Amino acid sequence: MMQKQKATGQKESIFNNEVVSRFELYNSLFLTLPFYKVKDTGTLLPLFIKHCEDGVKARENSGQIIKSFFDKYTQNNSEKDVIDLLFRFIQYIERQVVLFDAVEDASFNKLNTMDDQSSLHSYLSKGVDNEILSQKIEKLIEEFSLRLVLTAHPTQFYPGSVLSIITDLTAAIKINDVLSINQLLQQLGKTPFFNKKSPTPVDEALSLAWYMENVFYFAAAQIQSEVDQSLNEFQLESKKIIELGFWPGGDRDGNPNVHAQDTIQVAKMLRQILFRCYYRDFRNLKRRITFRGVEDTIAVVQEVLYENAFDNNIEAKNIAAELQSHLNNIKTTLIKDHDGLFVDLVDDLIRKVNLYGCHFASLDIRQDSRVLRDVHAFCRQSKPIISMFPENYQDLSEAEKIKVLSFKSAKVIYPEQSDELINDTLQTISEIREIQNSNGELACHRFIISNCQQASDILQLVELFLWNGWNEENLTIDFVPLFETVNDLEGASEIMETLYTHPFYRKHLEKRGNKQDIMLGFSDSTKDGGYLMANWSIFNAKVALTKTSDDHNIKLAFFDGRGGPPARGGGKTHRFYASMGKEIANKNIQLTIQGQTISSQYGSIDSAEFNIAQLINAGISAGIREKHNILLDPVHKDILDVMANESYEAFVALRNHPLFLRYLEKFSPLTLLSKINISSRPVKRNSGGPLKLEDLRAISFVTAWSQLKQNIPGFYGIGTALKSQEENGNWENVHQTYHQSGYFKTIIDNCMMSMSKSDFAITAHFANDQEFGPFWKTLHDEFELSKAMLLKLSDHGVLMENYPVERRSIAVREKIVLPLVLIQHYALGHLSNEDLAEEKRQAYEKLAIRTVYGIVNAGRNLA
């Protein structure tokens, strides 16, 4: 215990010296730089920050705080002057966030050290004198994999130009290159942070491809290299562990702007960028390998890589095997004739080709089940399909529908007119084959059915493939159900039981190696049932689905749709995987990397390597131990069942409150999110209709609460549930559960992280609002209750006591963006005036919208 406290104290000291002090130093330099020719802005900003802090302590509203500041410190107080200076403050603060990110990232390796006790190498070492453990490790390695899937969810604000500056700034800060830092800060000050128009799906893909090319290409290969070295040291065969996935251009769920042509274009783009990476590496290799005996092969490889990297007219083919063959020939010659000189460079490129093939990342296709049902209905009206189905098919029961499905390949003759979404689905199904031919099967082999509610949702999609160019023998597609809501999660195992016992689908699974991927969505389950119920529902669904799959000898892989914040499945995710028991399939870890999580946890090679290794170590350690999960013991399970239901009831009661949505619309920028040019995706699924909670995207829902600094989806109901347990005399059991269950402890720790990024003091004046005062008090009371109960449960004095560095980082970031939150409330307050002139309305809208960027970026996992 003393050793842990000492290590924690050392990290805190490093953080204060390396991050906080350096940020303050470089920030003072930044504030003196000329910025958009606005005199004294840098001088006034520190005064404004202090004025905001004092105003919040005095429970003043944003209007009072901003007015008194301008009265005290400025002479030009016209409405235009006020708006103009507030914009300049926003621009400074946005860049202060970038500066803090860069300083923190520069100190990453000093602040983060891998726990060597849980690494693959340490387990292999333990197995040297333990044959049973050694065999267990070998079997686990054969089965284990990690798939990271980058998604296009709209919380990644930085354009490529800013990302490049951050990379260079981080490098300069690492070596205290003050001249370069000065120049980069000036460049940062003059570089736009946002798009003038909304990006297309292909634009989003290109933006995320920056991370693929500059981070993941190197980081994943380096981790794979370390895995290979560990395995070779213990005479074990190398095993590809890491896989990359990609959603931009393939994810259609609720995004009518994604079309089949986008999917094709993104697949081509990923291939071309990959070959440019290969070519970049090969040029370095060629500069070193200048020996006789390899000239011809070197020339062939150079020509192949160059053509595939830069010739847009080349006929793309899957040449990964051919490329590896050439590289292996070069390696053989180096070993045989040249003492293995520079063979490590060849090995590195061979490893990357083995990892990324010709595709770089697997492009997932995702569409909502309701759309796919419409497509199936459309096809049923076309020849010759129409003769296979009764007219009343749509009215049949689920069991009767499944009996009717024939799974016969057919060439469908479609009428000329059809819905755009239907056309896109049919065209995409056909084009997947072309993507596989040019980039390899792994380039596009999964079709994810979101909002999956019945087995026929999967089986009808299988038929759509058979009707559109595919046949049973070469159906190289994995069909992935996505269960999201609390009810859908509860019925998931029954749906999979139906599929596993269906003759055609079971035969298809056998051809796919008896493997089944199942995606579970955290975001919508949280929006549906609250934080604790969402986590508990997913836990129970995983237990039930694992048992069902084991009963049918199916190798199950859970694909977790995790967002950035704990409310959407984020937080310290590796701890969830490390705490799984043997009752939950955990040998194939798959998760989405969304929005800010990409930049905050995988934004640099150092941080990406660390977080990839954390997830691998979590999976390996869980697989080795395979402990029984104590949450399944009757006492612990009963506690969590009761607590989840009580928190669910509290959350649903809040959600059903007549002021719930109106509160969000009035005090958060929810209605303005659709005007932020960061995404091709609409804020809600029914983009043409009125705002309804069921149509509102979970990401918009969570973002709105985080902008308010209230983070309701990340904690609401948990205080009520814990208090109830205490009042019923069950506290000792709850306390015991917390200290014995790593899974439950991670849920609580992540909840504390959400609450640490909340600040009800900012909105304390809401308590006096005639209409919304009681509602705000309800939110605040639950926050205070939850905080008190969580501290009592964890035996801590402050939230996140076990993570002092993260707590300090959050505190600094919250201080930086406090003025943005108040400027946002100030702008929204003016927008509530129905008599506001259109020109002023646009100015205040722009002001409110611009604050969103900095608040989200500073939070790193707020949306």
Side-chain angles (χ1 to χ4, degrees), residues 345-517:
L345 297 178
V346 184
D347 276 337
D348 181 62
L349 191 51
I350 290 172
R351 183 178 299 108
K352 286 169 179 170
V353 174
N354 184 49
L355 276 176
Y356 310 126
C358 290
H359 62 283
F360 213 161
S362 295
L363 188 60
D364 286 341
I365 308 298
R366 183 173 75 140
Q367 185 54 282
D368 191 280
S369 63
R370 289 163 290 194
V371 173
L372 297 175
R373 289 170 203 157
D374 290 342
V375 178
H376 194 265
F378 171 79
C379 292
R380 292 200 304 270
Q381 301 306 310
S382 307
K383 294 181 180 179
I385 307 301
I386 192 170
S387 61
M388 300 180 186
F389 291 87
E391 289 186 12
N392 67 336
Y393 174 82
Q394 197 59 45
D395 300 322
L396 298 177
S397 67
E398 170 72 354
E400 290 170 333
K401 283 181 181 177
I402 291 174
K403 282 184 180 179
V404 171
L405 301 176
S406 61
F407 303 99
K408 293 180 180 178
S409 296
K411 185 174 178 60
V412 183
I413 303 171
Y414 298 113
E416 293 182 6
Q417 299 293 326
S418 68
D419 179 85
E420 187 176 340
L421 277 174
I422 292 173
N423 269 339
D424 172 71
T425 302
L426 297 175
Q427 187 180 350
T428 300
I429 287 172
S430 299
E431 296 292 352
I432 290 173
R433 180 194 299 281
E434 296 307 311
I435 294 173
Q436 289 191 355
N437 288 339
S438 61
N439 295 15
E441 181 184 317
L442 290 178
C444 189
H445 66 98
R446 298 203 305 187
F447 201 119
I448 300 167
I449 301 94
S450 56
N451 192 40
C452 186
Q453 297 179 328
Q454 49 204 21
S456 59
D457 286 333
I458 300 282
L459 298 174
Q460 288 179 171
L461 178 59
V462 173
E463 284 205 317
L464 291 179
F465 272 80
L466 297 176
W467 298 341
N468 290 277
W470 299 76
N471 60 57
E472 181 181 346
E473 297 307 313
N474 66 2
L475 191 56
T476 50
I477 298 294
D478 298 309
F479 299 95
V480 183
L482 166 52
F483 303 109
E484 299 175 85
T485 67
V486 172
N487 284 337
D488 291 348
L489 288 165
E490 191 175 348
S493 62
E494 186 179 340
I495 289 173
M496 297 314 299
E497 174 73 26
T498 301
L499 289 170
Y500 292 155
T501 55
H502 188 278
F504 185 92
Y505 193 76
R506 181 62 197 236
K507 188 177 178 184
H508 173 70
L509 283 182
E510 289 172 1
K511 292 176 183 175
R512 304 298 292 166
N514 278 322
K515 295 178 181 178
Q516 175 69 56
D517 292 357

Side-chain angles (χ1 to χ4, degrees), residues 449-609:
I449 301 94
S450 56
N451 192 40
C452 186
Q453 297 179 328
Q454 49 204 21
S456 59
D457 286 333
I458 300 282
L459 298 174
Q460 288 179 171
L461 178 59
V462 173
E463 284 205 317
L464 291 179
F465 272 80
L466 297 176
W467 298 341
N468 290 277
W470 299 76
N471 60 57
E472 181 181 346
E473 297 307 313
N474 66 2
L475 191 56
T476 50
I477 298 294
D478 298 309
F479 299 95
V480 183
L482 166 52
F483 303 109
E484 299 175 85
T485 67
V486 172
N487 284 337
D488 291 348
L489 288 165
E490 191 175 348
S493 62
E494 186 179 340
I495 289 173
M496 297 314 299
E497 174 73 26
T498 301
L499 289 170
Y500 292 155
T501 55
H502 188 278
F504 185 92
Y505 193 76
R506 181 62 197 236
K507 188 177 178 184
H508 173 70
L509 283 182
E510 289 172 1
K511 292 176 183 175
R512 304 298 292 166
N514 278 322
K515 295 178 181 178
Q516 175 69 56
D517 292 357
I518 297 176
M519 187 172 182
L520 302 175
F522 285 77
S523 298
D524 280 291
S525 54
T526 301
K527 192 186 79 167
D528 181 45
Y531 176 74
L532 184 57
M533 176 57 92
N535 279 279
W536 188 234
S537 295
I538 288 170
F539 175 87
N540 286 323
K542 283 188 172 185
V543 171
L545 287 165
T546 299
K547 184 179 186 308
T548 301
S549 300
D550 286 347
D551 289 346
H552 294 279
N553 295 314
I554 300 297
K555 300 170 189 173
L556 175 60
F558 288 117
F559 177 25
D560 291 327
R562 295 184 181 274
R568 296 181 54 237
K572 296 184 176 297
T573 56
H574 67 282
R575 295 188 182 276
F576 277 115
Y577 296 114
S579 63
M580 299 290 182
K582 62 183 179 180
E583 295 84 3
I584 293 178
N586 200 32
K587 291 173 183 173
N588 305 102
I589 295 177
Q590 302 182 19
L591 68 156
T592 55
I593 309 297
Q594 300 184 13
Q596 302 156 284
T597 310
I598 298 171
S599 58
S600 64
Q601 295 185 14
Y602 301 88
S604 68
I605 295 173
D606 288 342
S607 61
E609 284 185 18

Side-chain angles (χ1 to χ4, degrees), residues 28-44:
S28 63
L29 169 67
F30 183 51
L31 290 172
T32 64
L33 296 176
F35 187 57
Y36 289 118
K37 300 179 182 178
V38 179
K39 188 178 179 181
D40 297 330
T41 306
T43 306
L44 287 171

